[in-house]
Amino acid sequence: MKRAFITGITGQDGGYLAELLLEKGYEVYALYRRSSNQRFGRVEGILNKIHLIEGDLTDDASLINAIEVSKPDEVYNLAAQSFVGVSWKEPIFTAEVNALGVTRLLESIRLKKSDARFYQASTSELFGLVQEVPQKGTTPFHPRSPYGVAKLYGYWITVNYRESYKMFSCNGILFNHESPKRGIKFVTRKISKAVAEIYRGEREFLSLGNLDAKRDWGYAGDYVKAMWLMLQQEEPDDFVIASGETHTVREFVEKAFKVVNIEIAWKGKGVNEEK
Ligand code: NAP
C-alpha cells in the first residue's frame, strides 16, 4: 500500500486530495497545526481514515518528525498562507511559510526519505504582471505580491532539489480553482455566500471591487487529480494547470443570481457595486 503525506489538510485542496488518495488505496498521513479552535470541517467525513501529525511549516523538527513517522512515497505540499491580500499585511510570515517552509520540507525529505516524490503547490500568481497570453511553462515570471514572490522562491527551490539532488520534485502551477470548500475570503465564495443570504432575505446587497477582473476558474476536485498525475509520471517536471477559459467577476455574479432567479440592480461604477 502506497503512503502519502499531505500538508494543508484542513484547506480546500487538502480535503479533496485526501479523499482521492484514500479512494486510490493510499495510507494517508497529514500535517495539521494545533489551534485553539480546531477546524476539520473539510475532512470531517474521512477524519477517522487519515493519520494526523501535529506540526508547522515554520518548525523544522516537526517536519523531520512527520517524514520519519509517515515514511511517504509521495509528499504533497499544499500548506501555505494562501491569501494574496493577507500577504501585504503579513509579508514576513508569508515568506516564512510559503518560501522557507518549502525548503524545510524538502530538507526533511532529503534527510529522511529522499526517494519520496514531492509536489509543490505553485500558482499562476507567479506570472503576476502577465508577459504573454496564454501563459505557459516558458512564460517569464513577474510576481506582484509578497505571496507571489514567496511562492516563486518555493518554485525555484523545488526545481533546484530536482536538478541538484535528483529528487523527484515537481511544481504544479495552478490557476484558480474553486469549490464549496473554498475559503470564505475568496471572491467566488464571497459572492455565492452573499447570493444565498440575499435569497434567504438575510441581507440586501453585495459590495465588490473590480467587476471586470478576469479569472481562469477550475474545479478543485479536478485539479487534485492533476497533482496526483504529476507524481505518477516517469520523469519529474513542472506543469501549468488551467481550464483555458477566462470569465469576469461580473459574469460570475450574473450566473450566481440567475441560479436563484433574482434580477440584479447594479449600482455604482464598478468599485463599490451593490446588488
Ligand atoms: P487553503 O484552503 O487556504 O489551505 C491552506 C492550508 O495551509 C490550511 O490547511 C492551513 O492550515 C495550512 N497552513 C497555513 N499555514 C501553515 C503553516 N505555517 N504550517 C502548516 N500548515 C499551514 O488553500 P487551498 O486553496 O487549499 O490551496 C492549497 C495550496 O495551493 C496553497 O499552497 C495555495 O497557495 C496553492 N494554490 C491555490 C490555488 C487556488 O485557487 N485554490 C491556486 C494556486 C495555488 P490552517 O487550517 O491551520 O490554517
Side-chain angles (χ1 to χ4, degrees):
M1 184 187 269
K2 272 197 178 177
R3 298 159 75 96
F5 173 60
I6 304 174
T7 71
I9 188 69
T10 53
Q12 168 187 256
D13 293 1
Y16 284 106
L17 180 64
E19 278 171 22
L20 177 78
L21 294 176
L22 286 170
E23 271 168 35
K24 290 189 179 297
Y26 280 69
E27 181 120 32
V28 176
Y29 292 78
L31 191 80
Y32 79 102
R33 306 194 274 181
R34 205 206 72 80
S35 83
S36 59
N37 179 17
Q38 211 73 63
R39 280 166 299 183
F40 288 110
R42 288 167 170 141
V43 281
E44 227 163 29
I46 54 169
L47 209 48
N48 59 352
K49 296 185 186 142
I50 56 183
H51 307 275
L52 292 173
I53 306 174
E54 198 171 327
D56 196 300
L57 276 196
T58 60
D59 187 285
D60 313 32
S62 70
L63 298 179
I64 291 173
N65 172 62
I67 298 298
E68 272 179 346
V69 170
S70 59
K71 296 180 194 60
D73 299 296
E74 295 170 13
V75 176
Y76 295 86
N77 184 32
L78 308 182
Q81 190 301 93
S82 68
F83 200 63
V84 173
V86 170
S87 78
W88 289 105
K89 295 185 181 118
E90 300 181 18
I92 310 290
F93 175 70
T94 301
E96 273 293 346
V97 179
N98 298 8
L100 288 180
V102 187
T103 310
R104 289 190 191 95
L105 187 51
L106 280 165
E107 271 297 275
S108 309
I109 298 167
R110 185 179 73 81
L111 294 170
K112 298 292 171 189
K113 187 77 172 57
S114 62
D115 64 341
R117 296 185 168 203
F118 177 77
Y119 173 86
Q120 166 59 14
S122 284
T123 163
S124 56
E125 292 291 324
L126 298 181
F127 298 121
L129 184 66
V130 296
Q131 309 288 312
E132 62 179 338
V133 180
Q135 294 94 65
K136 43 188 189 273
T138 51
T139 305
F141 297 131
H142 189 138
R144 299 202 90 189
S145 64
Y147 169 82
V149 173
K151 283 282 188 179
L152 185 60
Y153 176 104
Y155 169 90
W156 278 116
I157 201 70
T158 300
V159 172
N160 272 254
Y161 272 59
R162 179 169 80 222
E163 290 175 351
S164 299
Y165 295 124
K166 308 295 173 217
M167 283 168 56
F168 196 109
S169 45
C170 308
N171 283 287
I173 303 175
L174 271 50
F175 276 72
N176 288 61
H177 42 283
E178 313 296 317
S179 75
K181 293 185 182 179
R182 182 66 145 150
I184 211 72
K185 277 187 165 195
F186 293 89
V187 70
T188 50
R189 285 290 285 116
K190 189 175 167 184
I191 295 168
S192 60
K193 181 169 181 283
V195 169
E197 287 170 357
I198 290 167
Y199 177 71
R200 292 199 301 258
E202 291 165 10
R203 68 191 270 182
E204 301 210 324
F205 63 85
L206 160 65
S207 293
L208 289 166
N210 183 6
L211 288 168
D212 297 317
K214 286 186 180 166
R215 292 283 176 269
D216 180 312
W217 281 299
Y219 170 52
D222 293 336
Y223 284 24
V224 298
K225 287 183 195 148
M227 295 175 190
W228 176 78
L229 280 170
M230 283 179 218
L231 296 197
Q232 314 312 310
Q233 301 305 303
E234 282 191 7
E235 297 296 331
D237 206 343
D238 306 315
F239 297 86
V240 179
I241 305 295
S243 75
E245 271 182 40
T246 55
H247 295 276
T248 62
V249 173
R250 187 187 299 275
E251 282 177 73
F252 194 103
V253 173
E254 285 167 351
K255 287 235 180 233
F257 277 108
K258 211 165 182 187
V259 171
V260 289
N261 281 324
I262 291 179
E263 198 138 320
I264 303 170
W266 298 102
K267 286 189 188 164
K269 286 199 175 132
V271 180
N272 269 313
E273 304 276 8
E274 292 180 337
K275 156 75 187 59

